[in-house]
Amino acid sequence: MNIRHFTSVVILFSGLFSQCFADVSAVEQVRPSAGSSVIENRDQFNSMAAGDRAVSTLQLSEVKFIITGIRTDSPGLYFINSNDFMYHWKFFNDALGWNMSLIDFNTRTYTDFNRLILAGSVVAYDRYSDSDCRNGVYTVEFWPSDPVHAGDAALAVSMISSGMAFAAGRILYHPTGESQVRIYNDEVSQFAEKGVPVIQTGDLYSGVDYMALNTGTCCGILRDGSSRGAFSAGDIPVFESVPNDIGHVAGIITTIPQTPLSHINLKAVQNGTPNLYVQGFTDTEQYRSLLGRYVRLTATIEGYSVEEIPFAEAVEWLDSVRPETVTVLPADLEEKRILPLDEIRLANSSACGAKAASLGELTWCIPSFSVPDGYAVPFYYYHSFMQYNDLYAVIDSLISTDEFNSSVENREQILHDIRSLIRDADVPPWIMDSLSVMASNFEPGTSLRCRSSTNNEDLPGFNGAGLYSSFTHHSDEGHISETIKQVWAGMWTFRAFEEREFYRIDQLSGAMGVVVHPSYREELANGVAVTRNIFNPFINGVYVNVQPGDDMVTNPQAESVPEEFIVTEQNLTGRAVREIQYLGASNRTSAGERVLSEQQIDQLASYLTMIHNHYRMVYGVDRDDPWFAMEIEFKITSEGELVVKQARPWVF
């Protein structure tokens, strides 16, 4: 399926239809609960705003509108009560009294051919600010693939400005999809001649001074994140940009915008951790006066608050958000073979870990050449190694001491010592032999990527994103067991230990498998995608973040900003069409340059649909459940091939 504009659709008897439709010109009366021709103030706007946008990262308010008779002398504007009417077509028929099929309505609304209706939304960007001293703007937006030209955009902005007089000077046209951006670029002089105020997506998002990536309330000590020290579940660090190795914390504030698909935000969503971007927060007197004190941080749709609180309240809050009982993680130690990835399924996760099992599952829903070809080293090998060196007993004694529990610094040092013990320990000869046989199955000289696959990551409700590390083994580095031990040692990093401790997971029940496959070099791009439109899961689509080269979106370099876009799919006129809606450009590319080609995006979108449908059935999720999605990590290899390297349930 190609990504393209809607093509003109020839409708028989169009002249007769147009004549009939021209009668809908003057504003007709609709019941007050259904809609209105005027919105008097923001309170009325809020009462009509759709609730389904509340899932958006930016938490935007949206009121749908429809303009009829646009080719007549007296077009009619209707603001729709968007809570009662999810679709413009339903309002057109049920509130305005028409009886038109969906195909006919869409043909007259979303195509160039004989358009007679405009249907869109007014979206409130309350946190936007710019050099013109505008604090908050309202954008006129249309379906991303709707080919809106200068004349129609001018009509919509003019009528909506009259109908929302309270927002005078703050109503702008926002071209949301590639089709609309292309039309604007082709007709820029016409837009200017008609006086249409236009704002592009990049400018709109860059003008946002506050963003709650995850809302909520937490309590803890407000910390200076620039120290890059260790932070605990009782800390609220303030960073410029979040380090990728941060442990479990109470809340996060950054002064540089974040991407919703970073591992940090995935953990925040999973843990219910407030995570917010506040422009210039470290320059405020509030920050300086509260630094090092116990505070309550609240992040809402509209804004945030930070208030000093007593120590006892902070302790009470922390205890209230932890599980009440200890969880012992299951691990199947009966599987003693190193298994090819294409021979395992998700059901093997109890023996090999969810990451390895999910890679095997991927080969059943997308072409196998688009999934890494390798092996899964089961939990049995980690368990046998730990027993062989009596490391379970040693670790248990170390983490039970008063010294370990007396301070964050002591805990971090002892965990460092535990990792050193694992890396320096002997590997049983039979494990050495088995790993040698596995390594010999790869082409001589192949660098091998060794990746963690535990029993406490990539699970529904707990993805463990970013907790464990991967390492590359090169052919001149000796036996592969040395690299495997590095992966095993990763079970005992500070951030992984703290995450398990917060959830009261029995530390010694953790098990580490290893995925081994060829390492990719000189990658053209790396990205993360969600198989659903996270800004509005009720509209079919996928969400993608991608960066050129080997700059990982999940673990971004400092101040790295990925390319961000949504691919929507609709069937408005009987033909399925995909449309790209760019939300932001990568700061690693030149102006106007895209990281992925349209062909690559089309292939990625197809894979995401396959993955979504397959895993939905595997997990037994209802077909129409808007709250199920998979998150994947992908790359474009040096040969230009798309490879999906991980899939896990997405946590909304």
Side-chain angles (χ1 to χ4, degrees):
M1 185 185 305
N2 293 324
I3 300 170
R4 57 191 181 275
H5 299 298
F6 279 115
T7 55
S8 297
V9 180
V10 178
I11 305 294
L12 296 177
F13 309 114
S14 61
L16 176 61
F17 188 90
S18 300
Q19 182 61 46
C20 294
F21 207 94
D23 293 338
V24 185
S25 54
V27 176
E28 299 182 359
Q29 294 296 316
V30 296
R31 64 182 188 277
S33 62
S36 173
S37 60
V38 175
I39 296 180
E40 299 285 356
N41 50 48
R42 181 54 189 262
D43 288 341
Q44 185 182 358
F45 183 94
N46 289 342
S47 70
M48 299 174 70
D52 57 18
R53 280 255 183 166
V55 298
S56 162
T57 299
L58 291 178
Q59 306 291 329
L60 307 175
S61 297
E62 169 199 22
V63 172
K64 295 178 176 65
F65 70 85
I66 192 169
I67 302 176
T68 62
I70 64 173
R71 301 295 179 248
T72 70
D73 294 333
S74 52
L77 167 67
Y78 305 87
F79 293 107
I80 301 171
N81 186 332
S82 303
N83 293 296
D84 290 345
F85 294 94
M86 182 178 293
Y87 305 108
H88 295 86
W89 169 64
K90 290 289 290 180
F91 175 85
F92 183 75
N93 280 343
D94 296 351
L96 297 185
W98 282 77
N99 184 21
M100 186 180 294
S101 72
L102 179 60
I103 292 294
D104 284 343
F105 177 82
N106 289 338
T107 301
R108 298 298 174 172
T109 306
Y110 301 109
T111 69
D112 273 334
F113 180 76
N114 208 15
R115 180 202 292 270
L116 297 172
I117 310 170
L118 287 173
S121 297
V122 181
V123 183
Y125 288 83
D126 296 325
R127 304 301 308 190
Y128 175 85
S129 61
D130 61 16
S131 57
D132 294 330
C133 298
R134 284 183 294 202
N135 293 312
V137 294
Y138 296 84
T139 62
V140 177
E141 301 185 5
F142 298 90
W143 194 257
S145 59
D146 189 351
V148 178
H149 293 271
D152 290 336
L155 175 65
V157 171
S158 174
M159 294 191 73
I160 290 168
S161 296
S162 297
M164 291 177 53
F166 74 93
R170 295 187 292 140
I171 296 176
L172 314 171
Y173 169 57
H174 174 209
T176 60
E178 281 294 276
S179 296
Q180 292 162 17
V181 171
R182 291 189 187 109
I183 291 172
Y184 172 72
N185 290 335
D186 291 342
E187 301 179 6
V188 64
S189 60
Q190 298 175 49
F191 276 87
E193 289 170 4
K194 295 179 181 296
V196 182
V198 178
I199 187 166
Q200 300 288 357
T201 301
D203 296 329
L204 183 61
Y205 281 73
S206 66
V208 174
D209 62 1
Y210 168 79
M211 182 187 301
L213 287 92
N214 198 48
T215 59
T217 297
C218 66
C219 299
I221 301 176
L222 193 67
R223 299 284 195 188
D224 178 6
S226 64
S227 64
R228 298 301 191 190
F231 300 99
S232 72
D235 292 330
I236 304 174
V238 181
F239 301 100
E240 184 176 39
S241 57
V242 186
N244 296 312
D245 59 352
I246 186 174
H248 194 117
V249 293
I252 299 170
I253 301 175
T254 68
T255 57
I256 290 179
Q258 306 174 46
T259 168
L261 291 187
S262 69
H263 276 160
I264 299 305
N265 195 53
L266 295 182
K267 286 171 61 178
V269 172
Q270 169 196 278
N271 297 335
T273 302
N275 182 22
L276 52 154
Y277 152 66
V278 183
Q279 188 180 68
F281 180 68
T282 53
D283 297 328
T284 65
E285 178 58 32
Q286 181 185 44
Y287 169 75
R288 289 189 288 268
S289 64
L290 293 177
L291 191 62
R293 298 179 180 273
Y294 285 97
V295 300
R296 182 192 308 109
L297 169 65
T298 301
T300 67
I301 296 172
E302 294 81 13
Y304 72 98
S305 63
V306 185
E307 304 170 284
E308 187 171 3
I309 59 171
F311 168 73
E313 183 177 339
V315 173
E316 182 180 358
W317 174 85
L318 181 61
D319 192 58
S320 71
V321 295
R322 295 183 67 198
E324 295 182 359
T325 58
V326 174
T327 298
V328 177
L329 299 171
D332 177 6
L333 301 177
E334 296 301 315
E335 181 56 74
K336 302 177 181 180
R337 301 168 298 160
I338 295 178
L339 298 170
L341 289 175
D342 59 6
E343 291 185 12
I344 64 177
R345 301 291 297 270
L346 204 59
N348 296 99
S349 61
S350 60
C352 302
K355 184 182 295 180
S358 191
L359 278 173
E361 191 72 42
L362 278 171
T363 63
W364 292 79
C365 59
I366 62 175
S368 59
F369 58 76
S370 293
V371 182
D373 183 19
Y375 295 87
V377 180
F379 296 152
Y380 179 72
Y381 280 57
Y382 171 80
H383 177 70
S384 298
F385 165 80
M386 296 291 283
Q387 282 192 321
Y388 184 80
N389 292 281
D390 201 27
L391 287 172
Y392 284 132
V394 172
I395 292 173
D396 188 34
S397 65
L398 288 173
I399 64 177
S400 301
T401 62
D402 291 339
E403 180 186 6
F404 183 81
N405 294 296
S406 63
S407 72
V408 169
E409 291 74 21
N410 286 347
R411 177 170 293 190
E412 190 170 36
Q413 180 59 52
I414 291 173
L415 288 169
H416 175 273
D417 295 340
I418 289 173
R419 295 195 300 276
S420 296
L421 286 173
I422 292 174
R423 288 192 295 265
D424 294 339
D426 294 330
V427 177
W430 70 266
I431 292 182
M432 297 278 286
D433 294 341
S434 184
L435 292 175
S436 293
V437 172
M438 176 199 68
S440 69
N441 290 324
F442 295 98
E443 289 291 328
T446 300
S447 294
L448 300 177
R449 191 67 170 163
C450 300
R451 302 167 60 193
S452 66
S453 182
T454 74
N455 60 350
N456 52 102
E457 62 179 329
D458 295 350
L459 303 172
F462 186 92
N463 58 41
L467 292 184
Y468 306 103
S469 299
S470 301
F471 299 89
T472 299
H473 180 79
H474 300 288
S475 58
D476 59 355
E477 292 180 333
H479 198 276
I480 193 173
S481 62
E482 294 302 310
T483 304
I484 296 291
K485 284 194 293 181
Q486 285 184 283
V487 179
W488 286 340
M491 175 68 76
W492 300 98
T493 62
F494 177 82
R495 66 183 184 275
F497 184 94
E498 287 291 284
E499 191 82 1
R500 296 191 300 267
E501 189 72 4
F502 179 86
Y503 281 97
R504 299 191 197 275
I505 292 173
D506 181 280
Q507 295 287 351
L508 296 178
S509 69
M512 178 73 79
V514 183
V515 175
V516 182
H517 62 71
S519 178
Y520 296 93
R521 297 182 178 180
E522 299 179 355
E523 300 149 4
L524 300 181
N526 270 275
V528 181
V530 177
T531 64
R532 192 172 287 280
N533 177 355
I534 68 170
F535 290 89
N536 191 340
F538 298 95
I539 295 177
N540 287 337
V542 299
Y543 176 65
V544 181
N545 282 187
V546 63
Q547 277 285 46
D550 58 1
D551 188 359
M552 303 291 289
V553 171
T554 53
N555 297 294
Q557 300 170 14
E559 300 186 19
S560 174
V561 179
E563 182 172 277
E564 182 182 10
F565 59 87
I566 294 170
V567 183
T568 58
E569 183 171 318
Q570 55 257 315
N571 189 348
L572 300 180
T573 59
R575 176 183 299 176
V577 176
R578 288 196 180 116
E579 178 74 21
I580 311 168
Q581 180 182 358
Y582 284 99
L583 304 177
S586 165
N587 63 353
R588 300 285 193 255
T589 58
S590 303
E593 181 184 2
R594 300 299 187 193
V595 178
L596 299 182
S597 68
E598 287 194 353
Q599 183 179 7
Q600 289 170 331
I601 293 174
D602 193 47
Q603 183 185 16
L604 175 61
S606 295
Y607 279 13
L608 288 169
T609 299
M610 296 176 194
I611 291 169
H612 182 92
N613 292 335
H614 179 82
Y615 279 85
R616 176 184 58 77
M617 291 187 290
V618 170
Y619 285 118
V621 177
D622 185 76
R623 179 185 182 89
D624 298 321
D625 186 349
W627 304 112
F628 172 77
M630 294 294 293
E631 180 225 346
I632 72 152
E633 295 181 25
F634 68 92
K635 63 175 74 240
I636 304 296
T637 68
S638 57
E639 292 79 25
E641 299 295 329
L642 170 63
V643 173
V644 178
K645 63 177 187 176
Q646 192 164 337
R648 54 176 165 249
W650 164 259
V651 182
F652 275 96

